[in-house]
Amino acid sequence: DVKVTQSSRYLVKRTGEKVFLECVQDMDHENMFWYRQDPGLGLRLIYFSYDVKMKEKGDIPEGYSVSREKKERFSLILESASTNQTSMYLCASSQDFFSSYNEQFFGPGTRLTVL
Amino acid sequence: TQLLEQSPQFLSIQEGENLTVYCNSSSVFSSLQWYRQEPGEGPVLLVTVVTGGEVKKLKRLTFQFGDARKDSSLHITAAQPGDTGLYLCAGAHRDAGTALIFGKGTTLSVSS
């Protein structure tokens, strides 16, 4: 079974702090994704990566950056956390379309609160 | 922008009832997935449909992909409290590349 793990389930940070969210997958997937999920807004894509050191902006990249130095690890960075970044953050990975029809496998999520 | 519209947004039913959740779009999708998410957890993949008209069954859950691959439905027979959760549909579209387009979800509550 695919396993996607996230470094923390719950995180509380202060406004202005730099925040690192880590995601690791163990199935050698090419693609990795970061979403945030808010009530009434659904899942919104922040960034995704289709290869090591490659990244693409999603729908809401402002205030975030990412890093993918190794295939299995994808990090989301909040350069200066703000209260409007309080949310549930979900990481996912997928194999290429022709192997898997873009099926995504999600981690358990990190509930981030910015005070 | 391709959109996937899910309906209803909320559904509250009694154990044993049947229900259907819909996922509609004006765009054609290469594949469509259904996920279930429990509170405080990440979404879990239930099924992928690829061919127009395809029907897949997972115990009491029946998934159908529309003939034109623009819509899908999830039917649950004799719902149980364990079916409670957020149901998400997501489609693969050539313009989205490796990403998926997600609906906003249907929150299902089944009470005993």
Side-chain angles (χ1 to χ4, degrees):
Chain A
D1 281 351
V2 176
K3 190 162 186 183
V4 180
T5 56
Q6 295 184 229
S7 51
S8 304
R9 294 299 303 271
Y10 300 93
L11 210 51
V12 180
K13 296 291 182 181
R14 297 213 173 266
T15 301
E17 281 192 79
K18 191 169 185 176
V19 181
F20 293 87
L21 301 182
E22 302 282 336
C23 175
V24 177
Q25 52 93 4
D26 67 357
M27 284 301 292
D28 202 35
H29 283 174
E30 277 79 23
N31 309 308
M32 296 187 76
F33 307 84
W34 275 107
Y35 297 89
R36 62 177 285 177
Q37 185 176 33
D38 302 286
L41 297 178
L43 282 168
R44 292 183 292 169
L45 182 64
I46 304 171
Y47 267 98
F48 68 98
S49 169
Y50 53 90
D51 201 351
V52 175
K53 298 190 186 295
M54 305 303 289
K55 60 186 179 184
E56 291 280 346
K57 292 180 180 179
D59 299 319
I60 51 163
E62 296 78 19
Y64 303 93
S65 62
V66 290
S67 173
R68 193 166 182 202
E69 296 296 320
K70 294 185 177 181
K71 190 175 185 178
E72 67 272 17
R73 187 179 298 270
F74 193 34
S75 303
L76 179 69
I77 303 150
L78 286 67
E79 296 291 342
S80 178
S82 63
T83 55
N84 62 14
Q85 292 179 310
T86 291
S87 187
M88 173 71 140
Y89 288 87
L90 290 162
C91 175
S93 71
S94 73
Q95 189 53 284
D96 64 274
F97 176 82
F98 295 103
S99 302
S100 72
Y101 306 112
N102 285 13
E103 293 169 340
Q104 292 187 10
F105 297 87
F106 286 83
T110 296
R111 173 72 65 184
L112 173 67
T113 302
V114 183
L115 302 175
Chain B
T1 301
Q2 306 86 24
L3 290 176
L4 272 173
E5 301 284 346
Q6 279 190 247
S7 62
Q9 188 176 356
F10 298 98
L11 199 51
S12 183
I13 61 172
Q14 294 288 321
E15 183 176 2
E17 290 186 40
N18 301 332
L19 67 114
T20 303
V21 176
Y22 299 93
C23 181
N24 295 300
S25 176
S26 57
S27 299
V28 176
F29 290 91
S30 308
S31 68
L32 194 135
Q33 286 104 42
W34 285 92
Y35 295 82
R36 180 170 70 204
Q37 183 179 18
E38 298 186 9
E41 299 293 332
V44 175
L45 178 67
L46 296 175
V47 78
T48 297
V49 286
V50 179
T51 306
E54 183 176 4
V55 176
K56 282 192 174 179
K57 292 191 175 184
L58 190 65
K59 297 183 180 178
R60 294 175 293 99
L61 279 60
T62 302
F63 305 85
Q64 184 162 9
F65 203 11
D67 291 341
R69 293 186 289 137
K70 293 182 179 181
D71 55 85
S72 181
S73 63
L74 158 60
H75 182 78
I76 301 180
T77 303
Q80 298 178 0
D83 296 325
T84 293
L86 176 68
Y87 289 81
L88 295 161
C89 65
H93 189 281
R94 62 183 182 190
D95 290 348
T98 57
L100 290 174
I101 296 167
F102 279 85
K104 290 189 177 181
T106 294
T107 299
L108 171 65
S109 176
V110 182
S111 52
S112 56

